[in-house]
Structures are given as C-alpha cells and as structure tokens.
Amino acid sequence: MATVLVNDISVDIGDEKLNCVQAAQRAGVTIPHYCWHPALSVVASCRMCLVMVGEKKPDGSIAMQPKVVPGCQTPVKDGTVIQTMDPMATTAQKATLENLLLNHPLDCPVCDKAGECLLQDYSFKFGNASSRMVDEKNTPPNKPDIGANVSLFTDRCIMCSRCVRFTREVAGTAELHVVQRGNHSEIDIFPGHPLDNKLATNVVDLCPVGALASKDFLYKQRVWNLKTVNSVCTGCSTGCSIHLDTNKDVVYRLRPRFNPRAQGHFMCDEGRLGYHQVNSSQRFRKPLERGESGTRPIEWSAAVASVDRGFRQVSGVDPGNAWFVLSPFLTLEEAWLLASYARSVSPFVRIVSGPVPRVGEDDTYPKDRKGRPASNIKFTIRAEKCPNRKGVETIVSHFQKTPLSFGDLLQACDAGSAHFVYVTGGYSSAHPGFRVDDADKLSKVPNLIVHDLMPSALTDRANIVIPSAAFSEKEGTYVNHAGLAQSTVAGCVPLRGMRTDGQVFLDLLGRKGLVRAEEIRKEIGKAVSVLAALAQGSTGEFGVFTGSGS
Amino acid sequence: MPAIAEKNVRWVKHPKLSLAEQIYLPTIAQGMVTTISHLVKTLTGTNSIQTQQYPEQKPSLPPHYRGVHRLNRDEQGRVKCVSCYMCSTACPANCIDIVAAPSPWPDREKYPELFVIDELRCIYCGMCEQACPVDAIELTTIFDLTGMSREDMMFDKEKLLSVFDQTVAMGTDPVRTKGGRLSVAAEPAGSGLTTSSSAQS
Ligand code: SF4
Ligand code: SF4
Ligand code: SF4
Ligand code: SF4
Ligand code: FES
C-alpha cells in the first residue's frame, strides 16, 4: 500500500507503478500534459507537466525538491508529495504555454480541433491571455497529402511527437518523423512513403491540437454540435469500444474509446470509416413485396403479418421446412427475439447462424521495418469481419440442439425441402455475407424473407424485404472474439418511419411495447448459462466477459 | 425545490376600488382630455407629431438598427465568412445553417458552401453579428422583408451577399462597417491576431 499526497489530497495507489500525472488523476487533480500518453513511451519533451515534487519523511516533515520536474517522467512511491499549485510550477506552466503559442496561428475559428483542443483548454486554465511575441510567426506550409486519410496543418503542431511515437511503437511502420530543428521543427514523411498504415487515423485522436486532421471529418461539423454515445465498432470481431458522434441523427464520426478489455486506446481506419453505410441513400426505407410485376413497397404491419402467415403456413405442414438464418451482425437481443419467435411456433423449425465473412489472417501490430508482424502485439485487426459471431452462435446453439449450418440450408434449398427461409443480413458492403451462388440457391425457396440494410443479390431474389436498422440506430449487445459482451446505446433514431430489427421481432412475437435491450439482456442472462453474466442487465463501461470466451 | 415556510409568506390583498373607480367614468373623461387636446392641436396645426407617409416615404433608421442580415464581401468580392459556425452556435433561435467546405482560395482554409438564414425564425437579436470573429455577418437597416412563401424567407448565401451589395449601393452600411471598430481578426493582414498591442489599437 502506497500513499501519495497531491496538493494535500492523499490518494492510495496500491502497488501500481504510476507517474505523477496518473497519481494526480486519481486524486482528481489535472496535471496538464501533451507529450505523455499512456500507450506511448515517455519522452518528457513538451514540459507542460512541470510540477513540484517532494517526499514525506518518516518523521512527518516534507522535503520538496528545489526545482520543477516533469510529472510524466517522475514515478511516485509511498510518501511522494506533488504540488501543482506551487508558484514555481504554475509559472513554469504559463511559460511553457507562452512558448507553445509563439508560433501558433491561433486559427481556432477554422480549426477542426477547436472545442476539444488541449491547447485551448490548457491555455484557458493554465496559460496567459496575451502574448509578448512581436516577431513574425513561422508559417510552414500545410501538408494535405501526408496520408490518405490524414492531413497535416503544419503550423498548428506543438511538437509533442505523439504521432511520431505512435507510428513507431504501435503501428511499427514509422512513416512520420521530425525534420529541422528548434523553432523550425516540423512533422514530415519520407518522400514517397505517406502515412497510410491501417491504423493511421489514430494519430488524429492522439494529436492534442488541430495539426493532424481526419480528411473524412474535416470541416463536416464543429465538435460542440456533436452528441456522443458509447458504442462498439461492428467492423471485425475485435469489437473496439468507440464513441459514436452524431448530430441531428446523422453519424459524423467514430472515435476509439479506451477499453482495456477490448482493444486498448485505438481503432483501425477501416472500422473508423465503416459508418458510411449508415448514411447511404441506398438503404431500404420501407418493406418491399415481390409480385408478378416487380417489387412494391408495403406497410410495416402488412409485412409483419405476411411473414407470420407464410411461416405458420409452412410450419403447419412440416416445421422442418422453415429455416431462420441469424446473421453475426445481429445483436444478442435481436438474435434472442428472432430465435424465440421461431421456437414459439414449433420446436422443429431450423435455426442456423449466418455465414461469417473472413478476410485473410488476423492482422497484428506493430509491424517491423519490412512490414512483418512483430512479437509484442499491441493491436489486432481480426480476419472475422463481423461483430457478434460468438454471441449469435451461443443463441443459436441454445435453441437448436442438433447443430445445423448455413451449408445445410443451402443443401436443403437444392433438395427443395426449404419452403420458408428468414434471412437476416446487415453485412457491410465491403465484406458481403452471401455470395451470388448462395443467393441463387436461396432463390429456389418459395417464401424467402430477407431482412437487410441495402440492396444485394439476395434481396433481389427475396419475396419480402424488410429494412434493417444500422448499428448506430439500435441498442444491443455484441460478444467479441474473446467473449467480451459490450452493450451499445443508440446514437440516432432510425430513419423516418423505420423500425429497428428488434421491434420487428417483437411484433412477430406479438409482444407489446418497445424494445428495451436491458430487459431482454436480463432475460437472456437467466435463460442461457454461458451468458449468465448478462443477468444484471448492464455491461458497464468496459463490458463483461461471458462464458462463451475462447 | 424546498417548500417555503408559512412564516415567510406575506399575503397581499387587492386594493379595494373606490366608487369613482368602480364606475370608470372619471377615467374615461381623463382619457378624452388627452384625445381632444391632440385633436385641437391637429386642427389648429400646432401638433409636433408628424405622420410619415410609409411606404411612399421610407424612414431613415439609425445604422445600429437590427434588420435583415447581410454577408459581407472582402476586398476581392469573395464572401468574407470563414465558416466557423460561431454565429450559428450563438444564435438563440437556431436559424443559421452552414455547410462548410475547404475553400477554393489559397489564402484561406475554409469557406461556407451553403449559408442559409431562416429570416422568419430569426428574432433579430444580433448575437450572430457579435459572435463573428471576422465581421462577416451584419444586420442592416432593411426591415420590410416580404416573401410569398416560407422558402422565400430562407435567405441563402447569394441572397445575403446581394443584401450586402444593395446596402452598399444605398449607402446604409451598418454601424460596425461604417465607423465602428472591427474585431481583431477582421483587421488587415499583418496586424496579427495575437499581439496584445493590436488588440488594443
Ligand atoms: S490547435 Fe487548438 S488552439 Fe490551435 S487553432 Fe486549433 S483549436 Fe485553436
Ligand atoms: S502533429 Fe500533433 S501529435 Fe504530431 S507532434 Fe504535432 S502536435 Fe504532436
Ligand atoms: S439575429 Fe439573433 S436570431 Fe437572428 S440569426 Fe442572428 S443570432 Fe440568430
Ligand atoms: S460567425 Fe462569421 S465567419 Fe463564422 S460562420 Fe458565422 S458569418 Fe461565417
Ligand atoms: S507530458 Fe510531461 S513533458 Fe510532456
């Protein structure tokens, strides 16, 4: 047990190895810092975190060091005393900020970082209101082509070198480096080697100022207009925790959210840009029914009634001819509701999990100089391009005691013994779940229902198409590759007139009311033993591990 | 909310009306005196109050009047706005809609691709004008705006720039452009955004 005194607040840090910045955080005190980041090596170069440090002697007297030290580089131990309000420390902080602002353009009105900029925040809290600089400022040219997804506003850089260390230590690709010296230092790339690794846009989140900007988000919104909810990336089975930033029900940006149980601090670029499908104008908005003269839009209630009628007709004759395909893009709650609906009609209805899109091998970072994976893995982009295979498979095996696969369904289609098939989709268009020949086989089914986001080969062959809601529009739980169950919150309401998947399943089940994911989670937790961790309803900020882990 | 203790409550009764107040006649007579005195003044031509023949005769309003907005142009005739959203953030009526884009000009990073003010929703408070760091938006003395539909009253960038041209031609620049001190950022290039001396000049 070790006790540290921060501005006379004593905090117990156990036996953790912390620096002054972290220890102060525990005490609720902010030590301003730029270059230090918990996921990167310590360089102590920005000098923003200068504080007074001392030691409490066994006899109770306190001996302070006669100078300021960088808090990010100074470890604390039992009896360490940190003073952030000491005049020597505050003067040093003021001086550091004045220095950082000497050449800063202060173009906050047109800077994308304004509103979440640490230079703004710290200047306001710890800095001076005016500058004594009388000389002309440096105005190095911007470098919009520094990377495919990233743009550099060179003059706003405060040389914290977080971006450089990220590309060296986490991505391993080391594209960024510092050129020139002193006041003329700049971030740059080697000619012909742009910042284009698969984790590149993380440097934008790391950059404490508006120097590095995401081209995707550039000038789209001012950040203070955005509403943020906690969500989960659905791009692969790593299940990165994210912040979902929306305004007026349009998704504008995904940002990684720190989660030590899922992925750490970062996320990959593919996942970060994966939200565009949500805003696509091609998305289905109304249920469609195929007649002799092509498809026509129908009412939701008519679609639900027609699906229910078709299903009961087939299962009245032989329930083994009715199939339900649960996509690995469904949330646990949706999978549970749909499977419950299938089972509520007959125990012989067949429930299978949908195809799992896989691309290559798991891609681990950091890479070495030649692009080969190194041994100390810090980030993994998984080959399995869906968020909830584990969860959906658990639900399917709970309901379907004799295991069946999607391949069995295709065989049944060939044999003409599948008469009613309800397929759920939601796959990303970059990694489609159904191949065209799967769709051809499924098109032989007399009554094919497809529940999906966007037109595809399969929806073209469906008798009834039901629109899906996107991940940003529904609440639910995803179980990642390691069995970590994380629940999300809806960031926007569904498109006008749309129903979420869960709502459709509730309607099919004839259950009244709106979908309340938390209630359904409790229901699942009680019924399925491997998912018992969900029984308390909430999965907390970081998620809970379920028994379906590896 | 905490309940208020009975001892802290002071009950106030309506004052009782006297008989004269109850029959109203004295008050009416008092009012008639004012009316008739004006009538007499008008008939004898000694009235100081003038009736303006609006709309034939337009009033000349002081330059700080808060009427229809205009978007100012810079020396090269380009829209001055840098699309910072300060006005729309400050606007209490949420009636300014901006779509920003990278600017087509090398000397600037950002410009408004679309800029729409809903003049029907606007309460003409002038907060947008105060918020603008480059003095790009101003309220003019034009007050009599009409339109045949709600859409007509959504003023877009072109329309707002044309209000600038119109007011410049009429010589009715708003107070800030006319004589007032512009904000720091709107001062000529080179004077610097940050030096404290220029902020006071
Ligand atoms: S980096 Fe921060 S301080 Fe600098 S212009 Fe952008 S918002 Fe303003
Ligand atoms: S670009 Fe941003 S992250 Fe990189 S050194 Fe400059 S301020 Fe730091
Ligand atoms: S005058 Fe007031 S209400 Fe009208 S646009 Fe400006 S800030 Fe909004
Ligand atoms: S405050 Fe001024 S510069 Fe900013 S968006 Fe409004 S008009 Fe444009
Ligand atoms: S955060 Fe400590 S020196 Fe930069």
Side-chain angles (χ1 to χ4, degrees), chain A residues 72 142 181 213 332 370 470 487 497 507 514 517:
Chain A
C72 65
N142 292 340
R181 286 188 299 176
L332 267 186
K370 297 234 165 70
S487 44
D507 292 349
L514 299 175

Side-chain angles (χ1 to χ4, degrees), chain A residues 105-107 109-110 130-131 133-134 137 142 153 156 219-220 222 224-225 248, chain B residues 82-86 88-89 97 100-103 109-110 133 193-196:
Chain A
L106 285 177
D107 49 357
V110 293
S130 58
S131 163
M133 171 83 164
V134 287
K137 295 190 177 215
N142 292 340
F153 293 86
R156 292 181 195 147
Y219 304 152
K220 292 284 185 326
R222 299 315 313 247
W224 55 83
N225 291 331
K248 296 184 189 152
Chain B
V82 296
S83 211
C84 68
Y85 288 69
M86 294 301 148
S88 70
T89 303
D97 237 327
S103 98
E109 262 144 28
K110 208 174 163 192
L193 282 180
T194 47
T195 51
S196 49

Side-chain angles (χ1 to χ4, degrees), chain B residues 71 80-88 96 98 112 115 128 131-137:
Chain B
L71 271 184
K80 216 169 168 187
C81 166
V82 296
S83 211
C84 68
Y85 288 69
M86 294 301 148
C87 51
S88 70
I96 307 182
I98 304 169
F115 193 109
C128 45
C132 184
V134 295
D135 288 312
I137 192 168

Side-chain angles (χ1 to χ4, degrees), chain A residues 504-523:
Chain A
V504 173
F505 303 152
L506 270 195
D507 292 349
L508 281 170
L509 271 167
R511 272 167 64 168
K512 295 266 184 306
L514 299 175
V515 191
R516 295 192 49 215
E518 183 149 352
E519 297 308 314
I520 302 170
R521 255 192 314 271
K522 288 183 185 159
E523 209 175 300

Side-chain angles (χ1 to χ4, degrees), chain A residues 63 73 81 85 97 117 132 170 172 203 231 247 250 253 274 282 357 373 382 394 401 407 424 458 468 480 495-496:
Chain A
Q73 204 188 25
V81 178
M85 306 300 279
L97 279 166
C117 170
R132 289 174 291 170
V170 181
V203 297
S231 188
N247 185 12
V250 178
R253 176 170 77 162
Q282 290 189 350
R382 295 213 150 61
T394 312
K401 297 301 178 203
T424 48
L458 191 62
S468 291
N480 82 351
L495 301 174
R496 180 179 286 246

